[in-house]
Amino acid sequence: MGSEPVMDLFRSEEMQLMQLIIPAEAAHDTISYLGELGLVQFKDMNPDKSPFQRTYANQVKRCGEMARKLRYLREQSLKAGILPTNPRTLDKDLDMDDLEIKLNDLEAELLEMNGNAEKLLKTRNELTELKLVLEKAGSFFSSAQMGAAEYQREIVRVSSVRESSSMDSPLLLEQEMASDSTKRLGFVTGLVPLSKVLTFERLLFRATRGNMFLKQEVVDEPVLDPGTGEEVEKVVFVVFFAGERARTKIMRICEAFGANRYPFPEEPSRQRQMLAEVRGRLTELQTAIDAGNRHRDNVLNGISVYVDRWTSLVRNEKAVYHVLNQLSIDVTRKCLVAEAWCPTSALVKVQEALERGMAASNAAVSTIFHTLRAREAPPTFFRTNKFTSAFQEIVDAYGVARYQEANPGVFSIMTFPFLFAIMFGDWGHGTLMLLAALWLVLNEKKLGSQKLDDITEMAFAGRYVILLMSIFSIYTGFIYNEFFSLAFDFSLFGGTAYHCRTPDCHDSGTAGLIKDGATYLFGVDPAWKGSRTELPFLNSLKMKMSIILGVTQMFAGIILSFYNAQFFKKPLNIWYEFIPQMLFLGSLFGYLSMLIILKWVSGSQADLYHVMIYMFLNPVEPMGDNALFWGQGTVQIVLLVIALISVPWMLLPKPLILRAQHIEKMAGRTYHALPANDGEAGAHGEEEEEEEFEFGEVMVHQMIHCIEFVLGAVSNTASYLRLWALSLAHAQLSAVFYERVLEPAIASGNPLAILIGSLVFAAATVGVLLLMETLSAFLHALRLHWVEFMNKFYVGDGYKFEPFAFKALPDEED
């Protein structure tokens, strides 16, 4: 076993292309052990074949079907409220064939149990509705019969009166009673959803032209609909009608509205008997359903113990066959040939995994391993941890580093949060952000195992970036002396150096203050807060600081291009790109940064705008009061000449030298004897194969590169002024929220006004300053790194090293 390589973020790890000739009987076990190692990236040796034409397509399909069944089993367990648990013993020797048979049996058993349960539930729901109809409609008929008896007694009473008064009345009464006995009403009973009952009643009335009588009663509790299985509020109804045509219309309307119709006997004794039978059947059905649920829960409990293990096993098996499909099979079909990338430091581990795979499969022939000389660029591989991975992702979002070029992710760990803090400097806001970042960091194990929404997951992935941004924001907040727009006079830093002209300080905002003490030791003197010169002073300070920081970072980018050229052994890039770029940027903006520092140190009143403008317009004009040192005019002329010389220095020599080298190489070529066989010819041709040289393309590319750098030196320096602009905007927004919201509320002395003002101030601080301003400063810091810093040295046209690793496989597979 080799020692674990040291994590190096400056350059990607050295990679090696290797060829593996694996016996067919050992291929599966070998790939499995390499998947457990997770340090080998296989190349696709069959790019022209579709997934269905590959050798192990059936095995992949089989694993996919098993994965589907496992998802079904998991869904059924979660639906029953049974969570997967870790098994006490692992099925290490579980064969995929046995697992497939077991999954088939379990799926068939669950499907059968679910089908039976659905039938039982549907029958129970139907019987429940029938019971409601018997109970509710029975009361309808009882009241109707009582009314009919009362009506009959009234008729008898009237007939007795008529009999005593007239001789003709018995004959008329007999005819009337005979006609009543021949007219018999029909009825339909059932349940209809409460939401449809008004439309249902209206349509019944129109269809029968009012020749019906509807009696209805709302069910107290929602019932399970037999058709959908969902809880629905329903109404029990009884429709009385006369005639077959009316019956047909009513039946159709019931079907259209989803009304469930149930039989209802007219005789009270039959009603009671039927109700008793329904209640008995409901009891039996509920017993059967409970028994079925217990049996299903027992089965699901047994499944939940192993479902995660089985899912992992099937997922790994499917991944192994995907890799096997990428290998080429020799004509004898006795071995598989693979080409793969792996870190040079992991070659020993790879060979050990190959030996374990051979031993596990009892193969008679061992795997042949040898390294190859690669023509294509190797993949880029950085070993990162939970702290550095977020910063590396910021760089990779711009472009993956070319193989072993300088990685800006190393420097972004410090420069990215620092530039963010320059724009966000407030140690009050930084403290709140620090608390949020600490909560994410301290709960990373809990949050990492949960399913988070998109925004929370994004914040959690960048928790260490937020942590550093908050720490640097507190630091720059102390430099700016900003705490929710308030300034503090810390005695630790010696106290303010300025005092009022009068005891009452009535003219501090107009006449200004007097400096009569030692300079404030750290950060901005609190006396500047609220003074008439506060904004001009802070603007000048932050603008000049932005220029110095920007020029410094651009110089760092150019210096990194030197290390790239030195590493890749490209001396032309050093002599004809690095040196003229350093001279051009230093003679203009490096000189400007030096003037800013000299002005700060000397306390001069020189106008740097005038100095830089007339350095180009009239370099021989006397400096006058704008001179910061002796001989400044001569120095400026020399610097201007150097900047002008640097432009053709970057543009012309490199393409011309490359052209001369190409001509010399072509002239030095000689004829060779023909090779003895085709194999030697192929090898010789590969050695002589070179990239075609086009002078026009090289010249145009160098011209674009030169123009881009010259114009970019100006635009990139101006772009760093966003540090000043966003810092000013953040401070002014904070001041507006405090002076216009919180301060008037406190001054009013009204408790309600103070409460409302505090709530509005807190909402504005969180919503605008801690969310919107944070996002704005983050995006601007991102742009400064991607465009102004990384374009000086970073190519970013590589591709990631994506090894075959079981631990990197997705948890769920659709």
Side-chain angles (χ1 to χ4, degrees):
M1 287 289 290
S3 59
E4 188 70 22
V6 179
M7 183 174 62
D8 183 13
L9 282 179
F10 186 63
R11 296 197 187 279
S12 60
E13 286 203 29
E14 185 178 352
M15 307 297 292
Q16 178 63 57
L17 180 63
M18 59 184 181
Q19 186 182 56
L20 306 176
I21 302 177
I22 311 171
E25 64 271 17
H28 182 277
D29 291 332
T30 300
I31 299 300
S32 297
Y33 279 107
L34 291 176
E36 292 178 2
L37 180 62
L39 289 174
V40 178
Q41 176 179 328
F42 290 91
K43 295 175 61 177
D44 191 356
M45 308 294 289
N46 308 301
D48 299 331
K49 290 184 178 180
S50 67
F52 304 102
Q53 295 174 332
R54 306 206 176 200
T55 307
Y56 297 94
N58 291 332
Q59 286 82 348
V60 172
K61 183 179 179 181
R62 173 193 178 197
C63 292
E65 182 65 16
M66 293 171 68
R68 181 197 63 78
K69 294 174 182 178
L70 283 167
R71 286 196 300 272
Y72 173 74
L73 298 180
R74 176 185 288 273
E75 290 171 0
Q76 292 298 313
S77 298
L78 295 177
K79 187 176 180 181
I82 300 173
L83 299 178
T85 57
N86 294 324
R88 296 179 181 177
T89 58
L90 298 179
D91 296 339
K92 294 184 179 180
D93 300 329
L94 183 64
D95 185 72
M96 290 299 294
D97 295 332
D98 297 337
L99 179 58
E100 184 177 21
I101 295 172
K102 195 168 189 176
L103 292 179
N104 289 337
D105 294 341
L106 289 173
E107 184 188 31
E109 185 178 2
L110 279 177
L111 288 173
E112 183 180 359
M113 285 191 292
N114 289 338
N116 293 335
E118 289 178 2
K119 293 177 182 178
L120 291 175
L121 287 174
K122 183 177 181 180
T123 305
R124 186 195 66 178
N125 296 336
E126 290 176 348
L127 290 175
T128 302
E129 290 192 347
L130 177 57
K131 181 171 74 72
L132 292 172
V133 168
L134 291 171
E135 292 174 350
K136 303 292 183 183
S139 62
F140 297 161
F141 276 81
S142 298
S143 60
Q145 288 173 354
M146 292 175 62
E150 182 65 27
Y151 177 68
Q152 190 71 21
R153 286 195 295 269
E154 182 66 21
I155 291 176
V156 171
R157 186 183 64 81
V158 172
S159 64
S160 61
V161 172
R162 289 179 178 177
E163 185 178 13
S164 59
S165 61
S166 175
M167 292 294 292
D168 297 331
S169 56
L171 180 59
L172 295 174
L173 182 60
E174 288 177 3
Q175 293 177 356
E176 187 177 297
M177 293 180 66
S179 63
D180 288 342
S181 63
T182 58
K183 293 180 181 178
R184 187 175 183 83
L185 296 178
F187 63 89
V188 174
T189 58
L191 289 93
V192 67
L194 179 61
S195 59
K196 302 178 180 180
V197 68
L198 293 178
T199 311
F200 178 69
E201 183 178 2
R202 189 179 302 116
L203 193 57
L204 285 175
F205 184 83
R206 291 177 179 176
T208 60
R209 298 183 180 182
N211 295 320
M212 66 92 190
F213 176 71
L214 176 66
K215 189 72 174 177
Q216 60 184 355
E217 184 175 347
V218 179
V219 180
D220 298 334
E221 296 180 357
V223 295
L224 293 174
D225 188 79
T228 62
E230 298 178 355
E231 284 192 348
V232 182
E233 292 186 349
K234 291 194 173 185
V235 175
V236 176
F237 67 89
V238 178
V239 184
F240 296 94
F241 57 89
E244 285 300 320
R245 291 186 61 188
R247 173 185 289 274
T248 303
K249 291 180 180 179
I250 292 172
M251 292 296 186
R252 291 177 179 176
I253 292 172
C254 288
E255 292 177 1
F257 279 83
N260 298 326
R261 294 174 286 106
Y262 294 97
F264 183 81
E266 295 186 36
E267 298 81 3
S269 59
R270 180 64 183 139
Q271 294 174 15
R272 289 191 295 271
Q273 180 184 357
M274 192 172 180
L275 182 59
E277 291 176 357
V278 168
R279 287 173 178 171
R281 289 189 61 191
L282 280 173
T283 304
E284 294 174 358
L285 275 175
Q286 190 61 47
T287 303
I289 290 172
D290 293 340
N293 289 338
R294 284 194 298 270
H295 176 60
R296 188 170 62 116
D297 290 345
N298 291 334
V299 174
L300 292 175
N301 279 321
I303 292 173
S304 64
V305 177
Y306 296 102
V307 66
D308 284 343
R309 169 66 179 168
W310 292 343
T311 302
S312 176
L313 183 64
V314 171
R315 184 175 63 243
N316 295 349
E317 191 77 5
K318 185 177 181 180
V320 167
Y321 284 117
H322 270 303
V323 173
L324 290 173
N325 276 333
Q326 295 178 349
L327 310 187
S328 63
I329 302 178
D330 69 337
V331 292
T332 62
R333 303 185 70 85
K334 291 183 179 180
C335 62
L336 287 81
V337 181
E339 290 186 6
W341 291 101
C342 78
T344 305
S345 59
L347 288 176
V348 176
K349 294 182 178 179
V350 170
Q351 291 176 348
E352 292 175 353
L354 296 177
E355 293 174 359
R356 290 197 300 269
M358 183 190 68
S361 60
N362 296 320
V365 183
S366 61
T367 300
I368 300 175
F369 168 89
H370 59 268
T371 59
L372 299 177
R373 185 177 179 181
R375 291 191 171 274
E376 70 271 23
T380 301
F381 177 45
F382 293 106
R383 293 184 188 269
T384 57
N385 52 32
K386 62 182 180 181
F387 179 80
T388 58
S389 60
F391 294 96
Q392 189 61 47
E393 287 297 326
I394 290 175
V395 175
D396 291 344
Y398 175 82
V400 179
R402 178 180 287 185
Y403 178 62
Q404 289 201 321
E405 75 170 328
N407 178 25
V410 182
F411 309 94
S412 299
I413 295 175
M414 298 302 293
T415 58
F416 186 86
F418 181 67
L419 291 185
F420 170 87
I422 294 295
M423 297 177 277
F424 194 78
D426 188 304
W427 63 275
H429 299 153
T431 302
L432 295 179
M433 190 188 301
L434 177 63
L435 295 176
L438 287 175
W439 182 82
L440 291 173
V441 171
L442 295 176
N443 293 278
E444 61 182 13
K445 290 185 178 180
K446 178 182 176 182
L447 296 174
S449 61
Q450 296 178 355
K451 182 69 174 178
L452 306 175
D453 58 85
D454 293 340
I455 296 178
T456 307
E457 186 176 4
M458 190 183 305
F460 177 71
R463 59 193 180 279
Y464 289 103
V465 178
I466 300 174
L467 179 66
L468 287 187
M469 290 194 306
S470 61
I471 293 174
F472 277 96
S473 296
I474 294 174
Y475 169 73
T476 55
F478 277 112
I479 291 180
Y480 297 158
N481 205 341
E482 290 278 350
F483 178 80
F484 297 107
S485 80
L486 299 177
F488 285 84
D489 187 359
F490 293 101
S491 58
L492 178 65
F493 302 143
T496 179
Y498 297 88
H499 296 86
C500 298
R501 299 173 182 270
T502 58
D504 57 357
C505 289
H506 68 278
D507 59 348
S508 61
T510 55
L513 303 175
I514 300 174
K515 183 177 182 181
D516 58 356
T519 303
Y520 199 67
L521 291 180
F522 186 82
V524 176
D525 195 307
W528 290 102
K529 189 67 177 179
S531 66
R532 63 185 179 88
T533 54
E534 176 192 7
L535 201 56
F537 168 74
L538 292 179
N539 277 344
S540 175
L541 170 68
K542 294 180 179 179
M543 179 177 64
K544 293 172 181 175
M545 181 180 65
S546 301
I547 292 175
I548 294 174
L549 292 174
V551 172
T552 303
Q553 191 174 35
M554 288 191 291
F555 269 119
I558 298 174
I559 293 172
L560 287 175
S561 70
F562 165 78
Y563 285 106
N564 274 340
Q566 187 182 47
F567 180 82
F568 292 113
K569 295 180 174 57
K570 295 181 177 180
L572 293 181
N573 289 357
I574 297 177
W575 290 103
Y576 305 110
E577 287 185 0
F578 166 71
I579 293 177
Q581 286 177 2
M582 289 289 289
L583 292 176
F584 182 85
L585 189 64
S587 61
L588 298 180
F589 300 103
Y591 174 65
L592 173 61
S593 301
M594 185 194 71
L595 292 181
I596 292 173
I597 296 174
L598 284 177
K599 182 178 179 180
W600 280 345
V601 173
S602 63
S604 171
Q605 299 298 317
D607 186 358
L608 298 185
Y609 295 106
H610 184 276
V611 171
M612 293 304 297
I613 291 173
Y614 280 88
M615 177 179 174
F616 293 93
L617 297 181
N618 191 2
V620 297
E621 181 185 18
M623 302 293 296
D625 295 336
N626 291 323
L628 287 169
F629 57 90
W630 182 83
Q632 184 176 351
T634 304
V635 171
Q636 291 186 170
I637 293 174
V638 173
L639 293 176
L640 187 60
V641 171
I642 292 174
L644 294 176
I645 293 175
S646 299
V647 176
W649 191 352
M650 281 186 284
L651 176 62
L652 298 175
K654 183 179 175 180
L656 295 176
I657 292 174
L658 289 174
R659 180 174 179 272
Q661 291 177 350
H662 177 69
I663 293 174
E664 182 181 357
K665 185 180 296 185
M666 296 296 293
R669 284 187 174 180
T670 58
Y671 291 100
H672 297 275
L674 289 174
N677 52 56
D678 294 341
E680 292 181 11
H684 181 72
E686 290 178 358
E687 290 177 1
E688 295 297 327
E689 183 182 354
E690 294 179 358
E691 185 178 355
E692 185 178 356
F693 180 83
E694 288 289 343
F695 177 72
E697 293 182 4
V698 174
M699 190 67 196
V700 170
H701 179 271
Q702 190 67 20
M703 184 183 301
I704 293 173
H705 182 71
C706 177
I707 295 173
E708 181 184 9
F709 179 82
V710 172
L711 298 180
V714 180
S715 64
N716 292 350
T717 304
S719 181
Y720 276 96
L721 293 177
R722 71 184 67 236
L723 298 173
W724 155 52
L726 265 77
S727 175
L728 175 65
H730 185 87
Q732 292 302 307
L733 278 173
S734 183
V736 166
F737 291 147
Y738 177 77
E739 295 173 1
R740 295 289 183 264
V741 177
L742 187 60
E743 193 174 29
I746 296 175
S748 68
N750 187 342
L752 181 60
I754 294 175
L755 177 61
I756 295 175
S758 301
L759 293 176
V760 174
F761 177 76
T765 299
V766 173
V768 178
L769 297 176
L770 290 181
L771 294 180
M772 296 177 61
E773 279 288 302
T774 299
L775 180 60
S776 174
F778 181 91
L779 293 176
H780 283 284
L782 199 63
R783 182 242 154 77
L784 290 176
H785 278 77
W786 282 358
V787 179
E788 278 69 33
F789 173 55
M790 289 164 56
N791 72 346
K792 303 293 185 296
F793 67 97
Y794 190 65
V795 180
D797 61 351
Y799 62 99
K800 271 188 177 182
F801 175 61
E802 297 177 344
F804 169 60
F806 289 150
K807 61 183 179 181
L809 296 176
D811 292 335
E812 294 181 0
E813 189 175 303
D814 296 332

